[in-house]
Amino acid sequence: MLQASDLRGIYAPVITPFQPNEELDLASYEKHVEELLRHNIHGLIVNGTTGESPTVTWDEVAQLFQVTKDVVAKSGKQLPVIIGTGTNSTASTVKRTELAGELGADGVLIVTPYYNRPPLAGVIEHYRRVSEVGVPVIAYEIPHRTGLRLAADTIKRILDLDRVIGIKDSTGSLDLLHELVQSGTKPVLCGDDILFLSMLKHGATGGILASSMIRTGTFVQVYELAAQGQFDEAEKLFATLVPLIQKLFQESNPAPIKWVLTQQGILASDTLRLPMSPISEGLQQELKELFANAAR
C-alpha cells in the first residue's frame, strides 16, 4: 500500500487518448504509458484532470487502469498507479474510491470539492469519510479550478487524517508550501509545472506535472539533480523546460499536450471530448517552431 514516504519524484498524470469518434483509443494509451515508462518516473496518475476526468466514465477508468497495470507489469518496473476519484459529491467520491480500491489502485487523488463551495467543516468531513475507505489519499488543492481556497490550518487538519498521505499543491505560489514545511508536514507534490524547481528548493518532494508527458526524461533529471542538492545544474536544465511549459499551458490543458503527442506519433489522434476542443492554429505553429529550434 502506498506510503507517505513513496511520494517522491515525478508522478505522471497520463493522457486519455480518444479516437476521432471520441471512443477510447487503448492502443495509443498503451503506447503512451510505455513511452513514459522508458524513463525513471516514480508513479502514474490515471483519471486526473490531464486525463480529462470530467468526461471519462468509470467503466473507461477501469479499462485505463487495467491497461496501465498490464504495461507496468510487462515493463518489469514497480511503481504506484493512482486513480483520480474526487468529485464535488462526498457520496460519489467515497463510492469511486471504494471501486478504485477494488481495482487495486495504490492510492487515490482527491480534489477539494469544486463549484458548490462547501464550508470548511464540510471539506474536512469530506476528506475524513473518503479516508475511512482505507485507500491511501493524496489531497489536491487547486483553487483556480475549485473556486475555493483552503487556509493552511484547514489543510493541516486534512493532512492529520491517518490515511491522507500527502497533498498536491496547485495553489500557484509557494505560500502554502512554506506554511506546511514549517509545521513538519506530510509530503507536498508540486502541481504547478512552472514552479516545480522552486518548490523542490523549498521542501516539495516531487511533482504531478502535466508537462512531464512530453520531455519526461528531462523532468526526471531535474528532480534527481535537486534531490542531490545540485541546484545550479538543476536550474540550468529546468530553464530548457520553461518555454515548453509556457506553451503547453497557453491554452487549456491537455489540448496542447495531446497535439504534441500526436505529432510525435505516440497518439493516433489529438481528439478531445467536448467541451474541450483542439488547440488553435497559432499555437500549433508556435509549438512547431519551439521544437524546431530545440532540435538545432
Side-chain angles (χ1 to χ4, degrees):
M1 188 167 286
L2 195 65
Q3 306 289 327
S5 59
D6 297 318
L7 296 186
R8 300 283 187 276
I10 302 295
Y11 276 66
V14 292
I15 292 291
T16 301
F18 300 118
Q19 301 171 39
N21 64 1
E22 297 190 17
E23 294 297 315
L24 281 185
D25 180 357
L26 293 178
S28 287
Y29 181 76
E30 183 173 350
K31 191 172 183 179
H32 172 44
V33 177
E34 287 173 345
E35 176 62 25
L36 291 172
L37 291 177
R38 289 182 53 245
H39 309 282
N40 292 322
I41 61 170
H42 301 82
L44 293 161
I45 312 286
V46 176
N47 199 47
T49 309
T50 303
E52 295 177 71
S53 56
T55 64
V56 177
T57 69
W58 186 258
D59 284 345
E60 290 171 332
V61 172
Q63 293 179 63
L64 294 165
F65 178 81
Q66 188 57 57
V67 171
T68 307
K69 293 294 282 187
D70 290 346
V71 173
V72 171
K74 187 170 62 175
S75 74
K77 295 186 176 182
Q78 293 185 338
L79 71 166
V81 181
I82 294 159
I83 299 179
T85 60
T87 73
N88 61 343
S89 160
T90 302
S92 169
T93 303
V94 167
K95 181 60 177 177
R96 283 175 166 245
T97 301
E98 290 172 344
L99 292 170
E102 292 170 7
L103 288 172
D106 297 292
V108 291
L109 182 64
I110 305 294
V111 68
T112 301
Y114 45 85
Y115 185 74
N116 42 10
R117 296 175 60 85
L120 299 183
V123 175
I124 294 168
E125 182 65 11
H126 176 86
Y127 276 103
R128 186 185 69 78
R129 294 198 184 185
V130 175
S131 71
E132 288 177 344
V133 172
V135 181
V137 171
I138 302 169
Y140 179 15
E141 171 70 340
I142 182 165
H144 75 274
R145 284 187 182 270
T146 64
L148 181 66
R149 181 178 292 273
L150 301 182
D153 286 345
T154 301
I155 290 175
K156 289 175 188 177
R157 291 177 65 185
I158 292 168
L159 289 171
D160 282 342
L161 295 167
D162 286 343
R163 295 182 186 86
V164 177
I165 62 172
I167 184 168
K168 177 183 178 182
D169 178 355
S170 295
T171 54
S173 79
L174 303 182
D175 295 346
L176 175 62
L177 175 65
H178 284 152
E179 291 202 48
L180 293 177
V181 168
Q182 288 172 6
S183 63
T185 185
K186 291 175 181 176
V188 178
L189 296 173
C190 172
D192 280 296
D193 300 29
I194 201 70
L195 295 178
F196 179 49
L197 184 56
S198 295
M199 291 186 74
L200 289 178
K201 288 180 178 178
H202 290 88
T205 60
I208 300 175
L209 308 171
S211 305
S212 69
M213 300 302 94
I214 306 301
R215 289 181 60 188
T216 311
T218 306
F219 277 95
V220 171
Q221 283 182 281
V222 169
Y223 166 75
E224 291 175 344
L225 288 168
Q228 295 162 12
Q230 299 179 45
F231 287 107
D232 288 344
E233 293 84 352
E235 192 80 55
K236 292 174 186 174
L237 191 57
F238 188 68
T240 69
L241 292 171
V242 168
L244 172 67
I245 294 170
Q246 291 171 333
K247 293 299 180 191
L248 292 179
F249 285 93
Q250 192 167 303
E251 296 181 13
S252 294
N253 178 52
I257 297 172
K258 275 195 160 179
W259 185 85
V260 173
L261 290 175
T262 302
Q263 295 298 302
Q264 293 177 340
I266 295 169
L267 305 186
S269 169
D270 65 345
T271 300
L272 302 104
R273 284 178 175 166
L274 286 169
M276 298 300 292
S277 59
I279 63 173
S280 65
E281 291 185 4
L283 181 55
Q284 290 180 26
Q285 187 58 41
E286 290 177 30
L287 284 165
K288 287 177 182 177
E289 292 172 1
L290 177 69
F291 284 101
N293 291 335
R296 289 173 186 164

